[in-house]
Amino acid sequence: MKYVILLACCLNIFTAKAIESEMIERYHFSPNLLSVLRNGVADEYKPRSFRTEDNLKIGFISRLEKTKGLEELLSAYQMIKEKNNHLELIIAGTGSLEEKITKISKSDASVKYLGHLCSGISDLLHEIDIFVLPSYQEGLPYSIIEACMAECAIIATDVGGIPEIIENEKSGLLIPARNEIALYLAIEKLILNNTLRETLAKNARKYFVSSLSMNKMQEHTRNIFL
């Protein structure tokens, strides 16, 4: 029924080309009925200092669900921590895995669980060195856009619209979904390579300024409707 409703619309707007392509290939929508408008966020950038591998903070801000790849992140973090005990894993959000995360944070002082954040996300992102979102599926997640804004080094899965804003080895690292070993290796790579970590973070920030800010979203909106 929902696709019938969409077909009745004179224009359907999606946040990622991946969604637009699926509507064309799977549901046979006419490209003339579709358009892409990427999410944008306000620019709340604060200059950051790039830390060394001795005291890095890894961050995850999303729903605490299996499909967000949180269990793979926890496994990868435990493997990394065996080699580097100066790391900190910061988790924010709520969901079905909240009880599990709470228990882990109580038994492991290096895991900080902040619960649901109504505000202060930008401030937190500016404290995070490596932002990780190992989701099984996504559209165009705000969390990745916000991480670009805050100049984080980003590790994310090669799913949905994420490859449209993260270029592998240039503005972040893309890995397969459901693969804790690939995630472990990506985190280790960024921990051990300060130059790469800083370069990816700076390139993510540059791409945000050029394409993902709220001003850019407003500009694209005007282009679609005017």
Side-chain angles (χ1 to χ4, degrees):
M1 177 61 72
K2 62 183 177 181
Y3 300 114
V4 173
I5 294 173
L6 290 176
L7 282 168
C9 297
C10 61
L11 182 64
N12 297 283
I13 299 175
F14 304 102
T15 58
K17 284 188 174 296
I19 303 174
E20 180 188 51
S21 297
E22 181 180 7
M23 300 305 292
I24 294 171
E25 295 168 9
R26 185 174 179 181
Y27 300 105
H28 309 294
F29 275 66
S30 168
N32 295 330
L33 295 176
L34 310 177
S35 187
V36 174
L37 177 62
R38 288 176 172 174
N39 297 327
V41 301
D43 192 351
E44 301 177 354
Y45 176 70
K46 301 174 183 177
R48 72 158 61 234
S49 298
F50 291 94
R51 300 184 181 94
T52 67
E53 66 273 13
D54 293 330
N55 60 347
L56 295 177
K57 296 182 180 182
I58 301 167
F60 172 96
I61 305 173
S62 188
R63 290 183 291 110
L64 307 187
E65 302 293 344
K66 181 178 178 64
T67 56
K68 292 296 183 178
L70 185 52
E71 292 179 326
E72 285 83 357
L73 174 57
L74 292 171
S75 296
Y77 179 70
Q78 290 304 316
M79 289 187 282
I80 286 287
K81 205 174 63 166
E82 292 178 3
K83 296 182 178 181
N84 188 325
N85 58 6
H86 298 290
L87 299 174
E88 187 174 304
L89 175 61
I90 301 172
I91 298 174
T94 59
S96 62
L97 296 178
E98 183 172 351
E99 184 177 350
K100 178 177 181 177
I101 301 304
T102 300
K103 288 180 179 178
I104 291 174
S105 67
K106 289 180 179 179
S107 62
D108 185 345
S110 73
V111 178
K112 311 293 184 184
Y113 175 48
L114 305 180
H116 175 67
L117 297 181
C118 295
S119 61
I121 293 176
S122 176
D123 291 335
L124 175 59
L125 283 167
H126 282 92
E127 289 297 316
I128 289 172
D129 303 287
I130 302 173
F131 182 84
V132 182
L133 187 69
S135 300
Y136 299 174
Q137 58 187 27
E138 284 289 350
L140 196 74
Y142 273 107
S143 58
I144 294 288
I145 298 174
E146 290 169 331
C148 289
M149 180 277 295
E151 204 171 38
C152 299
I154 298 167
I155 299 172
T157 39
D158 188 7
V159 299
I162 293 177
E164 297 173 27
I165 56 177
I166 297 297
E167 184 176 349
N168 190 39
E169 299 281 354
K170 181 176 180 181
S171 54
L173 297 182
L174 295 177
I175 60 170
R178 305 171 188 260
N179 192 327
E180 64 187 51
I181 300 302
L183 180 53
Y184 158 75
L185 293 173
I187 294 173
E188 182 181 55
K189 184 175 186 177
L190 292 190
I191 288 173
L192 296 178
N193 193 328
N194 294 334
T195 300
L196 176 62
R197 190 172 65 251
E198 183 173 341
T199 298
L200 296 180
K202 289 182 176 180
N203 286 341
R205 168 67 190 169
K206 289 177 183 177
Y207 187 72
F208 169 84
V209 173
S210 69
S211 304
L212 299 172
S213 68
M214 185 63 73
N215 289 339
K216 287 295 180 180
M217 183 180 180
Q218 292 170 346
E219 178 183 325
H220 294 156
T221 302
R222 288 193 294 270
N223 291 339
I224 290 173
F225 289 104
L226 298 182

